[in-house]
Amino acid sequence: MFRIIPSLLLLLLLAACQQPASNNNTFQHGISGDNKPWSHTQFDNQNDKFSFAVFSDLTGGERAGVFKVAIEQLNLLRPELIVNVGDLIEGADSDTSEWHRQWDSFDKRASKARAPFFYMGGNHDLTGQLSRYIWKERLGPRYYHFRYKDVLFLILDTEDHSIDRMAEIELMRSKAIEQLKEGGWEAFGKSDYANIPERTSGTISREQAEYFLNVIDTHQDVLWTFVLIHKPAWEKPEEMQFSRIEKALNKRPYTVFNGHTHVYKYMQRHGRDYINLATTGGHQFPETGPSYDHMMWVTVDKQGVSMANLKLSGIMDKTGQIPLNGDTLAFE
């Protein structure tokens, strides 16, 4: 025993010397004493914390290359998931094969994303019975929800018109697109389609509202709720169904992201953030407001939400270049 005890003591002393000078197993260092060359060790690494990205419209005359660059930039940023505010393809064609060609092209680019990619439709994607049929055939429901790390995501459809009204809107929209091709955006602005309330704010059916009211009621324990919607439904005169959804959310924290206008706009409504994203490759209208290619970077934990507006022109790789020769593109 006399010979074993010193050996054990020696081993214990050696082990003690090898232990980190911090009680945090994630953070280890070899500095002893009270003075340390850092501010504190309360790392921003909560278990429930995660980040996701939101991108915006590609349509109205998609500018080649921008979305491909955005996907590569997202892969550099490493979000846990990717969502959007609709208008992913141009659409507006009576040829079924052309719709599938456009979706195949988009899917091929989107598939390059490392993170899961959640689809949402806008008016370009969902105007007309043919577009609805193709969406259902390829992607399933037009509106849905999912929950991730105690955060609820509501994916809405603002083209939720009745069959008869959809047919009327589709006809007006087809004529408006012809006017656009012949006379530009000024001619489009004078078309019947451009001046109906559905063009600006869309439609949410009672059935869709009931679906989301049930979802909200079922998920009362979430940390935060994010509403992804293409058109600003709250701007429609005498709108009722989205108002019901807002009312159901009024006792919890939530954020709304929308697109459609191709112009960035921030506002508060009911004391919550409502953010209208600009573009991620779509046609821009700088004469009407801030118009640039960007994404929103959103981080969530039990303390709340932080959001950063990232312009594609400023997201560079380790070489100091924008991926895929993005330096040659104009992002605004």
Side-chain angles (χ1 to χ4, degrees):
M1 292 296 294
F2 179 77
R3 293 183 178 180
I4 297 175
I5 290 175
S7 299
L8 289 173
L9 287 175
L10 181 60
L11 288 172
L12 290 171
L13 286 171
L14 288 171
C17 291
Q18 293 172 1
Q19 291 299 312
S22 169
N23 292 324
N24 187 337
N25 291 329
T26 304
F27 174 61
Q28 300 181 10
H29 62 85
I31 299 175
S32 60
D34 295 332
N35 297 326
K36 304 287 193 306
W38 49 77
S39 60
H40 62 80
T41 58
Q42 301 302 310
F43 295 97
D44 189 7
N45 61 353
Q46 299 89 332
N47 290 334
D48 58 4
K49 174 185 170 186
F50 75 98
S51 296
F52 68 93
V54 190
F55 71 86
S56 192
D57 301 45
L58 280 69
T59 57
E62 182 180 354
R63 290 154 33 245
V66 174
F67 184 63
K68 289 179 68 175
V69 167
I71 292 296
E72 287 301 308
Q73 291 172 317
L74 285 168
N75 288 338
L76 293 176
L77 293 166
R78 300 282 298 275
E80 292 194 31
L81 61 93
I82 302 166
V83 293
N84 65 92
V85 291
D87 273 6
L88 306 178
I89 65 169
E90 292 295 338
D93 198 287
S94 58
D95 183 356
T96 302
S97 63
E98 173 60 18
W99 280 89
H100 284 293
R101 187 199 66 77
Q102 291 184 28
W103 276 121
D104 288 343
S105 173
F106 179 83
D107 290 347
K108 182 178 180 180
R109 289 171 287 161
S111 70
K112 302 295 184 182
R114 178 170 181 159
F117 186 102
F118 293 85
Y119 284 68
M120 193 188 96
N123 52 290
H124 280 259
D125 314 305
L126 291 172
T127 297
Q129 289 303 114
L130 177 59
S131 67
R132 285 183 175 185
Y133 172 79
I134 291 172
W135 179 281
K136 183 177 181 179
E137 183 181 41
R138 297 180 68 113
L139 297 166
R142 303 189 312 273
Y143 55 84
Y144 61 100
H145 76 282
F146 65 92
R147 179 169 172 158
Y148 182 74
K149 291 188 177 180
D150 287 335
V151 172
L152 182 63
F153 290 81
L154 308 181
I155 315 297
L156 278 66
D157 169 23
T158 49
E159 303 308 306
D160 201 10
H161 314 291
S162 68
I163 293 176
D164 291 342
R165 184 56 176 163
M166 177 64 85
E168 295 172 352
I169 291 172
E170 185 177 18
L171 180 60
M172 285 188 284
R173 186 168 182 268
S174 297
K175 292 179 179 178
I177 290 173
E178 290 303 316
Q179 290 175 259
L180 172 64
K181 292 177 180 177
E182 294 174 5
W185 287 103
E186 184 177 353
F188 178 87
K190 296 177 181 179
S191 68
D192 291 338
Y193 173 71
N195 291 283
I196 58 174
E198 292 94 336
R199 155 66 182 164
T200 303
S201 51
T203 299
I204 293 174
S205 68
R206 182 178 183 83
E207 180 182 2
Q208 182 179 171
E210 293 289 345
Y211 169 83
F212 285 114
L213 293 179
N214 181 64
V215 169
I216 292 165
D217 183 61
T218 303
H219 299 273
Q220 296 188 29
D221 59 333
V222 294
L223 297 173
W224 208 275
T225 300
F226 290 97
V227 180
L228 285 302
I229 184 170
H230 184 63
K231 293 178 179 176
W234 53 90
E235 293 183 1
K236 189 175 183 178
E238 301 180 4
E239 194 283 325
M240 295 178 61
Q241 302 307 327
F242 186 73
S243 297
R244 296 174 67 203
I245 295 172
E246 287 179 309
K247 186 176 181 180
L249 290 169
N250 68 1
K251 292 184 179 179
R252 68 171 70 184
Y254 71 89
T255 302
V256 176
F257 294 108
N258 77 282
H260 186 58
T261 68
H262 297 210
V263 173
Y264 187 84
K265 179 182 178 182
Y266 169 83
M267 63 178 284
Q268 283 209 339
R269 178 177 166 86
H270 305 309
R272 305 327 196 270
D273 293 328
Y274 281 56
I275 299 176
N276 188 155
L277 278 70
T279 58
T280 312
H283 183 83
Q284 296 179 340
F285 301 94
E287 67 278 5
T288 62
S291 195
Y292 43 76
D293 291 318
H294 69 127
M295 298 178 287
M296 295 298 296
W297 185 262
V298 186
T299 302
V300 190
D301 65 17
K302 62 184 178 182
Q303 303 301 320
V305 167
S306 64
M307 292 179 280
N309 197 336
L310 306 180
K311 289 187 175 182
L312 302 195
S313 57
I315 305 174
M316 298 175 283
D317 63 20
K318 65 183 179 182
T319 70
Q321 305 296 314
I322 299 174
L324 299 181
N325 296 317
D327 305 81
T328 64
L329 301 176
F331 294 107
E332 60 180 300

